[in-house]
Amino acid sequence: MSKILVFGHRNPDTDAIASAIGFSYLAKQKFHLNTEAIALGEANEETKYALDFFNVEAPRAITSAKEEGCDTVILTDHNEFQQSILDIEELTIWGVVDHHRVANFETESPLFFRAEPVGSASAIIGRMFQENQIAIPKGIAGMLLSAIISDTLLFKSPTTHSTDKAIAKILAQLAGVDLDVYGLNLLKAGTNLASKSGEELVNLDAKTFPLSGKSVRIAQVNTVDIKEMLCRQNALEEAMKSENKAKGYDDFILMITDILNSDSELMVVGDNVKLVKEAFDVEWESNHAFLKGVVSRKKQVVPKLTESYAR
Ligand code: ZN
Ligand code: ZN
């Protein structure tokens, strides 16, 4: 049986990598597939912290499945083609496990598709292990746990589902860590922003969304010090502008999320700044605004923009 590649979205976050590792293992046990977890990019600092902590090898980063001699893939933590592997349209999608909206997605054949509106794809996979009574190795439990913590910002994000905490508790036990202590250490590991250039920051965790025919790039960085990032507004705006120019995005939005207080500062550049400003009922000051209680790109930012761009 030829190999099936399992991967999360481009610009992988902890869930993209952990869900691929977890589902690759589960698919071997449950479906007897010959899978390999890979990644569509290098692991970020938060993910590296988790991989090191649980002594799990980082998946290889690749950009094309065909170059690997593979034509069948499994997508985790995403389904939209523009967030997937470059040659996705030429591949057979065996299955999807996701917790995002379903958009820009189409297959020729039937497939395994599991999408639930929960906090993390890794939470779904953790529960699948349980449903199928498959033992979770310690390292995989630790990675799935890390992804749930990362995506839900330690259960503070409105994307958190009541089942997330329950599965996280079980995973923490299997992984042998204190959920809250490990959780905060993990989140802090991803907030080391001072050493990064503007260009690096706006590419850390960025996704492209087609909104009413416009290509909108939305990046998010986690911090414990929003002010430090606002001091770098000029450099960040320059980086966002050159991304727009180089990659053809119409607009670039940066969410700077305070993981301790669960608020975000939004910065925007592009052709439709007005539409972005109108999407949120707040005061804007030189292309940035404070959004109280906003931490979720997919639940609190993308839906508002979708509405505003459609007007
Ligand atoms: Zn993700
Ligand atoms: Zn996720």
Side-chain angles (χ1 to χ4, degrees):
M1 189 184 7
S2 67
K3 195 164 64 181
I4 298 180
L5 299 175
V6 186
F7 49 84
H9 51 81
R10 291 186 207 174
N11 270 345
D13 54 15
T14 302
D15 193 29
I17 289 187
S19 60
I21 293 172
F23 197 75
S24 174
Y25 182 88
L26 182 91
K28 278 186 191 142
Q29 311 295 316
K30 180 172 161 57
F31 304 109
H32 308 290
L33 299 178
N34 173 20
T35 55
E36 182 189 353
I38 54 108
L40 305 185
E42 295 297 328
N44 66 31
E45 280 180 40
E46 180 197 90
T47 312
K48 277 188 193 143
Y49 177 89
L51 290 164
D52 284 350
F53 192 97
F54 294 108
N55 211 356
V56 173
E57 207 181 318
R60 301 185 292 131
I62 68 162
T63 49
S64 149
K66 286 265 157 91
E67 276 174 20
E68 298 286 316
C70 295
D71 58 8
T72 306
V73 295
I74 294 173
L75 315 185
T76 64
D77 196 32
H78 76 296
N79 66 80
E80 299 189 45
F81 282 7
Q82 79 278 359
Q83 296 172 3
S84 198
I85 200 159
L86 276 178
D87 50 356
I88 186 70
E89 290 183 42
E90 298 157 47
L91 306 171
T92 302
I93 302 173
W94 186 94
V96 177
V97 181
D98 194 15
H99 68 127
H100 294 89
R101 70 172 190 175
V102 177
N104 310 303
F105 183 83
E106 202 175 87
T107 60
E108 274 174 21
S109 311
L111 76 161
F112 177 94
F113 197 105
R114 182 153 172 177
E116 293 178 22
V118 297
S120 158
S122 292
I124 303 171
I125 293 163
R127 282 187 279 108
M128 288 180 80
F129 271 96
Q130 287 203 308
E131 291 160 11
N132 294 286
Q133 294 174 327
I134 295 168
I136 314 181
K138 187 174 177 182
I140 290 181
M143 290 310 297
L144 295 175
L145 171 69
S146 302
I148 297 171
I149 293 166
S150 169
D151 267 11
T152 65
L153 290 179
L154 207 44
F155 314 109
K156 283 194 203 146
S157 168
T159 56
T160 309
H161 189 266
S162 57
T163 55
D164 293 338
K165 208 162 189 177
I167 190 67
K169 274 188 186 151
I170 294 167
L171 293 169
Q173 226 163 28
L174 291 171
V177 295
D178 179 284
L179 180 49
D180 293 310
V181 173
Y182 173 75
L184 205 55
N185 286 338
L186 173 76
L187 291 179
K188 281 189 179 156
T191 64
N192 176 23
L193 307 179
S195 62
K196 296 195 165 56
S197 69
E199 191 189 346
E200 284 171 316
L201 288 171
V202 301
N203 281 300
L204 265 185
D205 171 11
K207 289 179 180 172
T208 308
F209 296 86
L211 300 177
S212 299
K214 307 280 187 244
S215 170
V216 183
R217 186 79 162 165
I218 310 176
Q220 185 171 25
V221 293
N222 289 342
T223 181
V224 289
D225 185 4
I226 283 188
K227 278 201 204 95
E228 174 199 62
M229 291 293 286
L230 283 181
C231 287
R232 300 176 65 184
Q233 185 176 2
N234 286 345
L236 291 168
E237 282 191 5
E238 280 316 307
M240 289 155 73
K241 281 179 193 157
S242 47
E243 284 294 305
N244 281 353
K245 209 168 162 190
K247 316 261 169 66
Y249 310 128
D250 294 293
D251 303 296
F252 201 115
I253 297 163
L254 175 63
M255 273 180 87
I256 303 161
T257 300
D258 179 337
I259 58 161
L260 298 182
N261 298 305
S262 306
D263 303 310
S264 294
E265 192 78 42
L266 225 59
M267 266 180 211
V268 55
V269 300
D271 298 335
N272 308 289
V273 169
K274 197 168 162 277
L275 293 177
V276 177
K277 290 187 174 178
E278 284 169 1
F280 303 93
D281 187 22
V282 291
E283 288 286 320
W284 286 79
E285 190 191 323
S286 63
N287 292 342
H288 73 89
F290 181 72
L291 302 183
K292 181 122 199 76
V294 170
V295 295
S296 169
R297 171 169 44 197
K298 73 174 171 183
K299 204 157 180 175
Q300 295 170 299
V301 174
V302 173
K304 294 225 159 159
L305 293 173
T306 306
E307 252 177 57
S308 183
Y309 276 74
R311 266 179 222 141

